[in-house]
Amino acid sequence: MSHCHDSGSGIAAFTTQSGVKRVAVLGMPNVGKSTLFNRITKAGAFVGNWPGVTVDLMQAQVDLDGHRVEFVDLPGIYDLEGYSEDEQVVQTFFTTYPVDLVLVILNAAQIDRQIRLALQVKALGIPAVVILNMADEAKHFGITIHPEQLAQKLEMPVALVSAKYGRGYAIAMRQISQKLAENSTPIAPEALKQEIIAHRQIPEEQIQAILENTVEMPSRLFKTFTEKLDGVLLHPLLGLPLFFLSIYLMFAFVWLVGLPLQDVADAITGWLQKVVITPLTAYLPEFWRGFLVDGLYSGLATVASFIPLVMTFFFMMAIVEDSGYFSRAAYMMDALMYRFGLDGRSFVLLIMGFGCNIPAIMGTRVMRSQALRLLSILIIPFALCSARLTVFIFIIDALFNRTWGPLVLFSLYLFSFAVALLTGLLLKGQFQSQEPFVIELPPYRFPTLKQIFLRGWGELKQFLQRATGFITAGVAGVWLLSNLPQGTANPITSTGEMLITIPIVVGIVTGWDAVKAFLKRGGGLIALGVLAIWLLSNLPGNQETSYATRIGEFFAPILNPAGIPQELTIALIFGFIAKEILVGSLASIYHLTDPNAVQTVISQTISPIQAYSFMLFCLLYTPCLATIATIKSESKSIRFTLISVAYGLTLAWVVSTLFYQGARLLGLS
């Protein structure tokens, strides 16, 4: 039915196709705009419950009454003529690309505060359809809306809709189709530019005139379930403890449900290796058998065992995020965050970083203050992302009693918050911001099972798509470094085999077109490869030991004070590329043919204190190369990007060293 892709870089990727009409979806944050977009296009856009979550433009094409129509999901904004980056993105879109129709999505329960946005669109002369979403909530609050009279006053169609349950959806789609049929030519961007630059304000009298006799508001809204619940959850003394308790309970649920599922996945991958993989590769040369079984399969099997756990985590995050509770956490934390040079939005973005640091860093675009943006970008990489989560659960399960597992994991989350706050306190003098914090607290909503599944599955799919290439190439690279040069566990007698292996791995991961492009235009990468080979060939140490061992020996003096052994040092180096590689690389680093034996070996070679020191280092240093690229893109500064990387590495070493040496002084090592 639909085709969808993320532009990845905002509006720059949008093109105009002949014969395809364009509909822009516009609305304030928390009005269910992306939910409606998902329902129309089946695009699966990210649905969040706080301002600014839709920071990239999503587009999708659908067939509507026999015509091809492109829908574009614009960022949530409060004012079409405002000055925030999201508001400027919307303005730039309208003054750059022709638009046939605008869907103005408003919260029916807050129509008196949001109708201004529809009037701004009307003032620009853009054809529009007003969709009053959450009509069920408005009715529950005693608000009566007369859509026909409102449509006459606005001079544009109005539809009452509940995007969550699909009510009124058919009527809205019929009105969209009819409005598109009326307009034969799109609005030229040049015609809108001067109107937007003029920044004409909508007078309050005009708003009242529109609402008169079209919207009936009760004299006093009765005390709702949301207000009663807020009386407890936003309590000055109980609010924050209850929030952190809810986070702990979420992690405890992930631990209690996810770990047994992980054991099942381990059993399946172990059975598959014994029954299928080993017999199929038994007659291959030793190099190829080792590469395929001990390298690729062992690494991928280790990571695959975490899929049920990560899936459980994303489903739980979907429930908490879409419920509206995180917006309240931002509200409660704002006063505390202000003391550290941050605000409630920074806290929201830290929580978004639980899933992945990259969209959280991109989410700083909603901040008008450049200083606040940069400080938030600096602290977001400390958020414990899902890739780090797999590492920590793997280590905690190996070294700690399962009864204490949730507490150990929760302590790392608290530690990430503490480091972020202390960083803000340390640097707020260099990043001063006076931007006020405004956030809307939506009613509490329990998402439907379909919403939970779509959101959780979407996050898991993105995680796997993002991680699979890194993991495959990473575990293959770790195995090669652990088994080269000759004289190591699986000596390679022919350099030609290695030269054949690398393009095959790249081809498997990226597709053969990428290999052809690499061979044609990969001059820089080839130069880096030659440099890497030269560095590996000139590594200090015993020439009969593997490259990975010699790399570990080279960096061991740096990480020995932190109690991190040589094998985990090698894993940290590869984890710099992507944390997903880290767990998958351990089987190759320890030269284990059974991926399920890695935890046993680790538990026998390091202490819980060393394990916690390793996790602290993993928590604080660079999340991955993709995060570095995003920091560079959002900060537009190589200098700031290098400072961010250096700060994280330095802080990771200092904190893990102080922890380990302090534990030794206390006799805990």
Side-chain angles (χ1 to χ4, degrees), residues 27-34 46-57 73-78 84-87 89-90 327 345-346 348-349 352 358-368 373 380 437-440 442 634:
M28 294 186 182
N30 288 314
V31 298
K33 176 175 61 64
S34 293
F46 185 87
V47 182
N49 209 351
W50 53 63
V53 75
T54 313
V55 293
D56 276 324
L57 304 189
D73 186 17
L74 298 177
I77 60 170
Y78 290 102
S84 75
E85 186 162 342
D86 273 353
E87 290 161 346
V89 165
V90 173
S327 293
R345 282 167 299 188
S346 304
V348 166
L349 294 172
M352 282 181 65
I358 294 170
I361 291 172
M362 294 171 67
T364 59
R365 297 175 188 176
V366 299
M367 299 173 175
R368 301 182 186 183
R373 282 192 66 194
I380 286 170
F437 171 62
V438 179
I439 192 169
E440 181 183 342
E634 296 300 316

Side-chain angles (χ1 to χ4, degrees), residues 42-363:
K42 304 296 186 291
F46 185 87
V47 182
N49 209 351
W50 53 63
V53 75
T54 313
V55 293
D56 276 324
L57 304 189
M58 302 289 292
Q59 69 181 94
Q61 291 186 8
V62 302
D63 290 320
L64 195 61
D65 287 346
H67 299 283
R68 201 69 176 158
V69 180
E70 178 185 72
F71 287 82
V72 182
D73 186 17
L74 298 177
I77 60 170
Y78 290 102
D79 190 343
L80 186 55
E81 299 181 352
Y83 297 95
S84 75
E85 186 162 342
D86 273 353
E87 290 161 346
Q88 289 177 0
V89 165
V90 173
Q91 294 167 17
T92 303
F93 179 83
F94 282 129
T95 56
T96 306
Y97 300 99
V99 174
D100 295 274
L101 183 68
V102 175
L103 298 187
V104 184
I105 317 298
L106 306 178
N107 184 343
Q110 299 174 357
I111 187 173
D112 54 329
R113 302 201 297 271
Q114 298 191 6
I115 195 69
R116 182 187 304 272
L117 189 61
L119 292 173
Q120 287 179 331
V121 172
K122 178 185 176 183
L124 293 176
I126 309 176
V129 172
V130 176
I131 296 183
L132 300 178
N133 194 21
M134 305 177 189
D136 50 333
E137 287 186 5
K139 183 178 180 181
H140 177 72
F141 294 150
I143 300 171
T144 302
I145 300 174
H146 304 286
E148 294 82 7
Q149 292 91 318
L150 184 60
Q152 289 177 359
K153 287 192 175 184
L154 288 174
E155 298 177 345
M156 56 181 72
V158 175
L160 288 172
V161 168
S162 174
K164 180 177 178 180
Y165 298 104
R167 297 168 189 161
Y169 171 74
I171 296 174
M173 293 304 296
R174 186 163 58 249
Q175 291 182 339
I176 293 170
S177 182
Q178 291 172 352
K179 195 68 177 178
L180 284 172
E182 294 173 7
N183 304 312
S184 57
T185 57
I187 302 298
E190 296 76 13
L192 298 177
K193 192 168 293 184
Q194 294 303 319
E195 292 292 333
I196 290 178
I197 292 175
H199 287 286
R200 296 185 177 90
Q201 296 298 315
I202 303 297
E204 189 65 30
E205 296 77 15
Q206 184 180 357
I207 295 175
Q208 294 303 321
I210 292 291
L211 296 177
E212 187 177 2
N213 299 324
T214 61
V215 178
E216 299 175 15
M217 305 285 290
S219 57
R220 182 183 181 279
L221 290 176
F222 61 89
K223 193 166 185 179
T224 64
F225 170 76
T226 290
E227 292 175 315
K228 295 175 182 177
L229 200 55
D230 278 345
V232 177
L233 297 181
L234 296 183
H235 191 275
L237 297 179
L238 299 178
L240 282 179
L242 286 174
F243 169 73
F244 285 109
L245 176 62
S246 67
I247 295 295
Y248 168 74
L249 292 175
M250 182 183 75
F251 294 144
F253 180 84
V254 171
W255 183 270
L256 293 174
V257 174
L259 276 184
L261 294 176
Q262 179 188 338
D263 293 338
V264 174
D266 280 336
I268 293 173
T269 56
W271 175 85
L272 190 63
Q273 178 175 344
K274 180 180 179 181
V275 175
V276 180
I277 305 297
T278 300
L280 285 177
T281 58
Y283 300 102
L284 290 176
E286 180 63 16
F287 164 69
W288 291 108
R289 191 211 62 78
F291 176 76
L292 293 173
V293 179
D294 303 339
L296 280 179
Y297 182 79
S298 293
L300 293 175
T302 302
V303 176
S305 67
F306 286 98
I307 290 177
L309 191 142
V310 173
M311 181 174 62
T312 306
F313 170 75
F314 282 136
F315 284 158
M316 291 301 297
M317 285 292 289
I319 294 173
V320 178
E321 288 178 6
D322 291 345
S323 69
Y325 190 30
F326 277 165
S327 293
R328 286 159 173 80
Y331 168 77
M332 288 187 293
M333 289 292 293
D334 181 60
L336 176 63
M337 299 292 279
Y338 178 77
R339 299 176 183 271
F340 294 90
L342 302 161
D343 70 9
R345 282 167 299 188
S346 304
F347 181 75
V348 166
L349 294 172
L350 272 175
I351 296 174
M352 282 181 65
F354 285 3
C356 179
N357 292 170
I358 294 170
I361 291 172
M362 294 171 67

Side-chain angles (χ1 to χ4, degrees), residues 373-414:
R373 282 192 66 194
L374 292 177
L375 186 55
S376 298
I377 288 172
L378 196 62
I379 68 168
I380 286 170
F382 298 133
L384 202 162
C385 62
S386 55
R388 287 183 177 121
L389 177 68
T390 60
V391 177
F392 295 162
I393 289 180
F394 184 84
I395 298 296
I396 292 171
D397 190 37
L399 272 297
F400 296 87
N401 188 297
R402 285 199 172 186
T403 304
W404 295 98
L407 280 174
V408 176
L409 181 62
F410 184 59
S411 71
L412 291 167
Y413 275 90
L414 292 180

